Amino acid sequence: MPELPEVETTRRILEPYLLGQRIQKLLHQDPARYRHTERAEGRKVLGTSRRGKYLILQLDQGLEAIIHLGMTGGFRFEPHRHTRVTLVLPQQTLYYTDPRRFGKWWVVEAGDYREIGLLGRMGPEPLSPDFTPVGFKQALAQTRRKIKEVLLSQEAVAGVGNIYADESLWLSKIHPERPAHTLSPAEVKRLHRAIREVMGQAVEAGGSTLSDESYQQPNGEPGYFQFAHKAYDRTGQPCRRRGCKGRIVKMVVGGRGTHFCPVCQQNSR
Ligand SMILES: [Zn+2]
């Protein structure tokens, strides 16, 4: 599932093709999933941004196109058999592909996110100065849910999904089932730093492409951060922490497959 690094990589690659361009046509056959898109036709793209896992195109006349890539959404420069939306620009047509069709588009008045539940109530961006250890501590203190579930909820920090939650918890040596409010100040600080480090490195690496190869950069190139994974998708393999003799195990937390090292991420409740 595309998380912050994959969405940010997509945004950076697409931006030069979008900026200043007028959308000639936005074609699809699913108005329930790709909503109000007729409003984008004829509009000029003034900017691109990202909030959590949402890609945002700022359009003229005070509109925004909001795109959530769902489980398998992505963009291509070439036609593709799973194309769901075709974005026709004067110099380059972009093909939005989504084999499993969990992704969604909305074209709305800028800032009107009433139809897009999560977008209006997400925590801070992990790579922005708004994400502070103090604010993070306050957010975690308010909930008795497991830390992994809190990370996935997007409410304490935006953009962290299953891969980067497992990687950040491994890096900070925190068991994924620890109730969030029990994390010590030192643990919160470690987790805060780990999230920033993992996200920053994953963006630099162009995101993670897993064995299903569902995520590709728009030019068809994979991401490369999967080679740096320490926990995610490494079930049964030796822990990569220096001196640790553990092996990565998988269990289900909050309905999601969760990978961690039972030796260096002990549940010390
Ligand atoms: Zn370990």
Side-chain angles (χ1 to χ4, degrees), residues 198-255:
V198 166
M199 287 303 199
Q201 290 176 358
V203 169
E204 290 308 309
S208 298
T209 298
L210 306 178
S211 50
D212 66 2
E213 297 189 348
S214 69
Y215 165 72
Q216 307 279 330
Q217 301 185 38
N219 54 13
E221 199 182 332
Y224 295 97
F225 192 68
Q226 65 277 12
F227 300 116
H229 288 180
K230 305 293 199 295
Y232 188 82
D233 211 14
R234 296 194 64 247
T235 309
Q237 296 185 53
C239 178
R240 284 185 168 157
R241 200 181 315 273
R242 187 190 292 262
C244 180
K245 297 271 192 284
R247 283 181 183 271
I248 301 298
V249 300
K250 185 175 181 181
M251 67 174 182
V252 175
V253 179

Side-chain angles (χ1 to χ4, degrees), residues 2 31 54 72 75 77 88 96 110 112-113 141 159-160 199 202 204 206 215 226 232-233 242:
Y54 293 87
T72 56
F75 282 86
F77 292 127
V88 183
Y96 171 75
D112 179 2
Y113 302 146
V160 180
M199 287 303 199
E204 290 308 309
Y215 165 72
Q226 65 277 12
Y232 188 82
D233 211 14
R242 187 190 292 262

Side-chain angles (χ1 to χ4, degrees), residues 8-17 77 215 217-219:
E8 178 63 18
T9 299
T10 300
R11 186 194 71 76
R12 290 181 182 184
I13 293 175
L14 294 184
E15 189 179 66
Y17 297 91
F77 292 127
Y215 165 72
Q217 301 185 38
N219 54 13

Side-chain angles (χ1 to χ4, degrees), residues 28 38 99 154 171 179 191 207 212 268-269:
H28 60 82
E38 67 286 348
Q154 311 294 299
L171 189 57
L191 181 56
D212 66 2
S268 53
R269 254 183 278 187

Side-chain angles (χ1 to χ4, degrees), residues 41-93:
E41 292 188 333
R43 302 280 54 81
K44 197 178 210 176
V45 181
L46 303 179
T48 72
S49 59
R50 180 194 50 72
R51 184 78 175 91
K53 306 176 197 173
Y54 293 87
L55 175 64
I56 304 177
L57 313 183
Q58 282 84 36
L59 309 178
D60 64 0
Q61 298 195 357
L63 295 173
E64 284 179 342
I66 318 278
I67 302 163
H68 193 284
L69 302 177
M71 298 290 287
T72 56
F75 282 86
R76 296 286 192 281
F77 292 127
E78 304 289 335
H80 185 277
R81 67 193 166 103
H82 291 302
T83 298
R84 307 297 180 208
V85 180
T86 304
L87 186 63
V88 183
L89 302 162
Q91 289 162 29
Q92 172 74 52
T93 295

